[in-house]
Amino acid sequence: MKLKSIIFAFATFSAAGAYAQAPIVIKFSHVTTADTPKGKGAEKFKELAEAATKGRVKVEVYPNSQLYKDKEELEALQMGAVQMLAPSLSKFGPLGVKEFEVYDIPYILPSKAALQRVNEGPVGKSLFKKLEPKGIVGLAYWDNGFKDMTSNKPLRVPADFRGQKLRIQSSKVLDAQMRALGANPQVLAFSEVYQGMQTGVVDGGENTPSNIYTQKMHEVQKYLTVSDHGYIGYAVIVNKKFWDALPGDIRTALEGAMAQATTYANHIAQQENDAALDGIRKSGKTEIITLTPQQKAEWRKALLPVQGAVAGRVGKDLIDAFNREAAAAEAVK
Ligand code: LMR
């Protein structure tokens, strides 16, 4: 009897020991290559999180849609098949959180300073609150950059867009934007864009230089217009059940790692995009078009009405809040 209880106590102790040593695994899935602002941010988070938790947490990063494509990854997060993602802000509509599409309104963020005010202030926090009923916690906003248009036809003025089939992310605001220019928008997952362009399923699309370059879209697109008409950024999100169940000290360490990884990701985003645009130029495969002030004014005239047209979808108060933050950022310039 005595021996039995000693064996039992020992077995329980070993099991507890083994359990305590097994690291908590965070699967972090995303759709861009490792060599992008998001890819580098994810790797930085892994490095910092594993160091801060002294190996009690292991972060496995799966880039380039190798686990899941755009829509699937959000479903996988909700089911707990992965714990962390960083989808672009344009991809939350299918989840039922359409307010994030406010970021897709053309020209709504005139500068990185305006973006910072929105993301780091009460507006960014209120958007994250909307994810919680979906079983998701928003941890941080990561930057990518302003978008350019690409196609096999030069796109200089809105009239050039007529009849063009252009790939968009799954955002109704982006759909409205392309229609305002006279194009036919087509939703494709990010992982399908290169092939869609190569085979002519779409004529072109819009993206940041870093995404265009790392997916080699420039090899199947003849023209790139430096338009900066809109923005791509990310919400780093985590499964709420998983996050809430973490030991408090671990969660605090991960929050610290995320804050540092965010500073890093946001710091490198602009230079990554500048280098990518340079790479595209040097490849000689895509002609880079710079718009004249007159052409820029034509784009604005065609695109500014989108803001009013989508107010019913994303919310007028939210649009007003964005405009207020943008004006405040301009005022301190
Ligand atoms: C896209 O689908 O074009 C982008 O959102 C991809 C990304 O994650 O940057």
Side-chain angles (χ1 to χ4, degrees):
M1 190 66 193
K2 214 171 169 193
L3 184 66
K4 246 190 188 167
S5 52
I6 290 169
I7 292 170
F8 178 75
F10 181 72
T12 314
F13 175 76
S14 316
Y19 178 76
Q21 275 159 27
I24 298 166
V25 175
I26 297 180
K27 290 192 171 148
F28 187 158
S29 172
H30 70 87
V31 300
T32 66
T33 67
D35 200 15
T36 54
K38 175 160 63 179
K40 291 185 178 182
E43 285 301 330
K44 180 59 83 182
F45 172 69
K46 170 185 168 66
E47 178 193 316
L48 294 166
E50 291 179 353
T53 59
K54 301 189 173 53
R56 284 166 70 200
V57 170
K58 186 165 180 285
V59 181
E60 296 175 358
V61 181
Y62 298 94
N64 213 20
S65 309
Q66 64 179 250
L67 277 191
Y68 300 106
K69 298 199 269 186
D70 291 340
K71 191 162 172 285
E72 300 160 1
E73 70 173 14
L74 279 158
E75 290 160 5
L77 183 83
Q78 284 184 299
M79 287 185 321
V82 293
Q83 289 69 41
M84 199 173 277
L85 305 174
S88 92
L89 300 163
S90 317
K91 290 181 182 162
F92 288 88
L95 192 74
V97 191
K98 50 194 193 307
E99 289 85 350
F100 280 96
E101 291 178 9
V102 66
Y103 285 89
D104 294 328
I105 294 174
Y107 308 115
I108 195 148
L109 292 165
S111 62
K112 288 283 171 79
L115 174 74
Q116 210 172 349
R117 283 187 70 99
V118 166
N119 288 353
E120 288 169 15
V123 182
K125 283 197 183 67
S126 74
L127 282 167
F128 275 165
K129 273 265 164 271
K130 296 190 187 296
L131 295 172
E132 297 200 0
K134 308 285 174 191
I136 293 172
V137 174
L139 295 180
Y141 289 98
W142 284 2
D143 200 6
N144 184 336
F146 291 102
K147 290 181 287 190
D148 297 325
M149 290 281 186
T150 64
S151 184
N152 285 319
K153 198 184 138 188
L155 300 173
R156 293 193 175 89
V157 289
D160 298 331
F161 284 79
R162 206 158 299 137
Q164 286 274 294
K165 274 182 288 166
L166 299 182
R167 179 268 172 172
I168 54 165
Q169 306 177 72
S170 59
S171 155
K172 293 282 188 272
V173 172
L174 296 179
D175 185 282
Q177 167 203 273
M178 290 303 192
R179 289 183 197 283
L181 287 166
N184 299 327
Q186 188 154 335
V187 175
L188 283 183
F190 186 59
S191 56
E192 291 162 1
V193 180
Y194 174 86
Q195 212 189 354
M197 288 172 168
Q198 191 187 34
T199 57
V201 168
V202 289
D203 298 309
E206 54 168 9
N207 229 308
T208 59
S210 62
N211 277 347
I212 293 167
Y213 192 54
T214 53
Q215 293 293 321
K216 302 192 185 345
M217 293 178 202
H218 62 295
E219 294 184 359
V220 288
Q221 295 280 273
K222 293 200 176 75
Y223 299 94
L224 181 153
T225 308
V226 180
S227 46
D228 294 336
H229 61 281
Y231 171 75
I232 293 185
Y234 308 107
V236 186
I237 55 178
V238 68
N239 177 293
K240 186 171 183 329
K241 233 193 207 156
F242 168 81
W243 192 247
D244 290 347
L246 288 173
D249 61 328
I250 293 272
R251 203 182 312 116
T252 304
L254 292 177
E255 279 165 356
M258 183 55 71
Q260 281 184 60
T262 299
T263 304
Y264 167 81
N266 293 348
H267 177 72
I268 63 163
Q270 186 64 49
Q271 65 212 44
E272 291 287 318
N273 278 299
D274 291 346
L277 189 60
D278 221 39
I280 296 169
R281 189 178 283 117
K282 285 191 181 128
S283 77
K285 294 188 160 53
T286 306
E287 186 180 322
I288 309 237
I289 298 170
T290 309
L291 298 175
T292 64
Q294 165 72 29
Q295 289 165 339
K296 278 190 189 158
E298 279 197 52
W299 283 58
R300 279 189 175 269
K301 186 157 175 258
L303 289 174
L304 285 177
V306 172
Q307 186 168 128
V310 302
R313 179 170 172 85
V314 300
K316 191 176 175 318
D317 290 351
L318 186 56
I319 295 177
D320 288 347
F322 263 61
N323 287 332
R324 267 198 307 277
E325 295 295 359
E330 292 303 288
V332 295
K333 256 187 182 173

